[in-house]
Amino acid sequence: LCFDVLSREAARVLRSGGRILIADSPLYTDADAGDAMVREMGDYIAGLGVVPAAYEGPGYLTEAAIRSSPLDWSRSEADPQTVVGRWRGRLTARRAGRELARMPLLMATIGGAT
């Protein structure tokens, strides 16, 4: 589902104090990078001889989508643990020619602070 639809539906079906957690969803600041990732994954999967699954939404989240959500989202992100890890991430992004996804845990509490 598109993130705005998911946010509205969660607010509709959960009672006050209910929580929604999103895990394992790639997050980008730039939608073009997310679109490139979806194409790359589709090409990779097709190269294995498998038909890629269809997405009901874009297949990733953006910072803009989170900001425009009717819910107040909190996040927990793993920090690259070492200088080597941070450099490895920069090199991988350079090779990919695009921003790499972050994979935060996102949580919102319905009708209250997160």
Side-chain angles (χ1 to χ4, degrees):
L1 291 174
C2 293
F3 188 67
D4 59 335
V5 173
L6 172 81
S7 296
R8 285 194 310 272
E9 188 64 4
R12 185 184 74 78
V13 300
L14 293 173
R15 66 178 172 212
S16 183
R19 293 183 177 167
I20 181 169
L21 177 71
I22 297 176
D24 198 31
S25 186
L27 175 65
Y28 293 93
T29 56
D30 179 16
D32 291 339
D35 291 337
M37 177 274 303
V38 169
R39 282 191 307 276
E40 291 164 13
M41 288 303 296
D43 292 346
Y44 174 76
I45 292 169
L48 298 173
V50 177
V51 176
Y55 293 99
E56 290 188 36
Y60 58 89
L61 296 174
T62 62
E63 293 288 350
I66 292 171
R67 283 192 304 274
S68 67
S69 170
L71 301 178
D72 184 22
W73 293 92
S74 66
R75 70 179 73 195
S76 175
E77 294 192 57
D79 187 27
Q81 59 278 36
T82 65
V83 171
V84 171
R86 287 190 291 272
W87 277 105
R88 184 175 294 133
R90 289 183 184 129
L91 288 172
T92 303
R94 180 173 287 168
R95 284 186 196 127
R98 64 170 172 80
E99 169 191 4
L100 295 183
R102 295 186 326 277
M103 303 292 273
L105 292 175
L106 299 169
M107 187 177 73
T109 302
I110 307 304
T114 55

